[in-house]
Amino acid sequence: MVRRNEERRAALLDAAIEVLAAEGARGLTFRAVDKEAAVPAGTASNYFANRDDLLYQIAQRFYERMEPDAATIERQRTAPRDRATYTQLMRELVARISAFPSGYLALLELRLEATRRPELRKLLTERVRADVDANVTYHEQSGLPGDATAVRLLILTLSWMIVEQLTLPDVYGEAERDELIAAAVERLVAE
């Protein structure tokens, strides 16, 4: 029977993210999750039907944790509708993801695992597509400059920037990263 204590489930998923980021998919076991979460052995197996269920829920948890808080959303809603605001939004996005490096590294591990697991690939494809569509819709409704193609190109550009930052952090310093974000917005977003 799968348990429903949502706080415990979230803590187990957060622990699973840490294990996945540190040990890769091969190191992701219920035992390793229990140890990382500092719970009794067998706890994770009470919350997740099997390893595939755990992998699917890790992906959902990552996206949950990446949602901006209410204050950020309100500030974005009332900010000017220009490239400077757009640049600031992109910098904040990169910073939010960079502040949770194990989450993004775990997501990369999930993507690699998805090349071998068709059901996980399907789930991640649906989730990423929905995320892209939501970003495009938000952008179109926000009044910010640029079009849907610019949004998609920025997603692709910034995704690799984040990978670079998390895997080889000394390639670009923080100042250069900020300059590159501004340049990407300037070159991709028509006014």
Side-chain angles (χ1 to χ4, degrees):
M1 171 190 263
V2 177
R3 298 222 174 143
R4 287 283 161 210
N5 178 331
E6 293 307 318
E7 277 184 32
R8 173 68 58 95
R9 176 181 300 281
L12 288 166
L13 287 169
D14 290 342
I17 286 169
E18 297 302 321
V19 170
L20 188 57
E23 305 295 328
R26 289 182 183 214
L28 183 67
T29 64
F30 286 152
R31 183 176 298 179
V33 172
D34 289 339
K35 183 177 177 186
E36 180 69 26
V39 296
T43 302
S45 63
N46 289 325
Y47 282 82
F48 307 102
N50 53 45
R51 193 165 183 274
D52 285 341
D53 182 35
L54 177 61
L55 289 168
Y56 303 149
Q57 290 194 44
I58 288 170
Q60 296 296 343
R61 179 68 176 157
F62 169 76
Y63 282 101
E64 259 177 43
R65 289 191 56 185
M66 286 299 96
E67 289 291 321
D69 62 23
T72 300
I73 292 170
E74 180 59 24
R75 188 178 36 73
Q76 290 173 357
R77 192 183 66 71
T78 59
R81 301 304 189 216
D82 55 20
R83 275 194 193 155
T85 296
Y86 205 136
T87 300
Q88 185 59 33
L89 291 173
M90 295 303 100
R91 285 179 176 148
E92 289 173 4
L93 173 66
V94 170
R96 192 167 55 250
I97 292 171
S98 298
F100 183 33
S102 57
Y104 202 80
L105 293 172
L107 184 62
L108 293 174
E109 287 287 343
L110 286 174
R111 285 176 174 233
L112 291 172
E113 191 67 15
T115 66
R116 297 176 287 277
R117 293 175 178 265
E119 287 300 313
L120 183 58
R121 176 184 277 175
K122 182 178 184 278
L123 173 90
L124 285 176
T125 298
E126 290 169 0
R127 179 59 206 197
V128 171
R129 184 77 240 174
D131 190 49
V132 169
D133 292 345
N135 278 288
V136 167
T137 299
Y138 170 81
H139 179 81
E140 290 173 341
Q141 293 173 352
S142 74
L144 285 164
D147 61 8
T149 299
V151 173
R152 290 182 186 103
L153 288 170
L154 280 169
I155 289 169
L156 292 169
T157 301
L158 296 182
S159 292
W160 194 256
M161 178 182 284
I162 293 163
V163 169
E164 198 77 27
Q165 181 180 339
L166 295 178
T167 60
L168 301 171
D170 297 329
V171 172
Y172 299 105
E174 188 174 334
E176 189 174 9
R177 183 191 70 216
D178 284 349
E179 289 171 12
L180 289 169
I181 291 169
V185 172
E186 183 179 322
R187 292 177 187 200
L188 295 173
V189 178
E191 289 201 77

